[in-house]
């Protein structure tokens, strides 16, 4: 685990020193529970979406809480409401549209991805292009565990300087569960995003490791 974490952080450090590019999957850290993150805006699905952020026409999704048979399984350790796409174990997708958001332009973001399946897909549409992230980019098994730290992860995506977020599409042949999408404001001329995520993810990794050690100690007692 330590060697994996070290390699992951070295990869992000290398990214931090490279010129700006289109949206990039920075990486992820294990959950169960969600390590959490902070930013300018968080979508937690506890109430109405902020003004100007909408689900695009044709989106199929449910807002659930806890395990709901044949509908959705909460991301490990998540006791609050979460987004299930499409829900019900059938194929579908849902798109969050930010083009009319009334707040500051959005850039880097991370979210808690629950019970990751290899066939799940995140499509990131920005002012600079499109990024596709598959569950298979994060896990090696066909279907993610509903309870394991490796199968439930906080995933981070960085945008280049001047690049802004337009839409996020979550697609699955069965079910895609997620929660707490945390956004940063779009960057200006400087390029701090990858380095910022590197620092955040390093901290989250340490917190996650501490939580898991406490859980093992409690189980041993």
């Amino acid at each position: 685990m330590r060697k994996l974490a070290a390699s992951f952080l070295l990869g992000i450090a290398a990214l931090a020193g490279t010129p700006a590019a289109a949206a990039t999957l920075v990486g992820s850290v294990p959950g169960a529970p969600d390590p959490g993150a902070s930013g300018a805006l968080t979508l937690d699905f506890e109430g109405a979406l902020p003004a100007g952020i909408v689900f695009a026409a044709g989106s199929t999704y449910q807002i659930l809480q806890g395990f709901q048979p044949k509908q959705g399984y909460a991301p490990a350790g998540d006791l609050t409401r979460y987004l299930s796409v499409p829900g019900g174990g059938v194929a579908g997708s849902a798109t969050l549209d930010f083009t009319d958001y009334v707040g500051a332009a959005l850039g880097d973001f991370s979210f808690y991805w629950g019970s990751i399946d290899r066939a799940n897909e995140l499509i990131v549409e920005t002012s600079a292009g499109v990024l596709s992230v598959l569950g298979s980019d994060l896990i090696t098994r066909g279907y993610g565990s509903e309870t394991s730290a490796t199968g439930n992860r906080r995933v981070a995506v960085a945008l280049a300087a001047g690049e802004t977020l337009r839409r996020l599409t979550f697609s699955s042949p069965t079910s895609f569960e997620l929660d707490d999408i945390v956004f940063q404001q779009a960057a200006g001329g400087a390029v701090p995003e990858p380095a910022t995520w590197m620092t955040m993810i390093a901290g989250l990794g340490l917190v996650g490791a501490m939580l898991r050690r406490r859980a093992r100690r409690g189980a041993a007692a």
Side-chain angles (χ1 to χ4, degrees), residues 51-190:
I53 299 177
V54 298
F55 281 103
S59 294
T60 54
Y61 67 92
Q62 298 181 79
I63 306 298
L64 304 174
Q65 186 167 5
F67 169 60
Q68 301 294 330
K70 299 183 179 180
Q71 296 183 64
Y73 206 114
D78 190 341
L79 303 179
T80 63
R81 294 175 184 267
Y82 61 93
L83 176 65
S84 179
V85 180
V90 296
S93 65
T95 298
L96 281 168
D97 192 324
F98 304 91
T99 53
D100 292 327
Y101 176 50
V102 299
L106 300 175
D108 300 355
F109 67 93
S110 73
F111 69 100
Y112 189 37
W113 191 339
S115 56
I116 302 169
D117 292 342
R118 286 173 57 85
N120 286 356
E121 183 179 19
L122 164 69
I123 300 173
V124 183
E125 297 181 58
T126 75
S127 57
V130 177
L131 169 70
S132 172
V133 179
L134 293 171
S136 57
D137 295 327
L138 304 171
I139 63 169
T140 56
R141 293 179 53 191
Y143 295 93
S145 165
E146 291 86 359
T147 58
S148 74
T150 54
N152 297 263
R153 311 181 70 87
R154 176 153 288 271
V155 179
V157 173
L159 276 62
E163 185 179 13
T164 57
L165 185 64
R166 291 182 176 174
R167 298 175 190 84
L168 294 178
T169 297
F170 307 95
S171 177
S172 175
T174 53
S175 189
F176 190 144
E177 294 96 356
L178 65 136
D179 201 2
D180 293 335
I181 313 175
V182 179
F183 303 91
Q184 310 297 325
Q185 289 185 4

Side-chain angles (χ1 to χ4, degrees), residues 26-50:
V26 176
S28 65
V29 291
D34 179 12
S38 60
L41 174 71
T42 298
L43 299 186
D44 60 12
F45 307 106
E46 292 299 313
L49 294 172

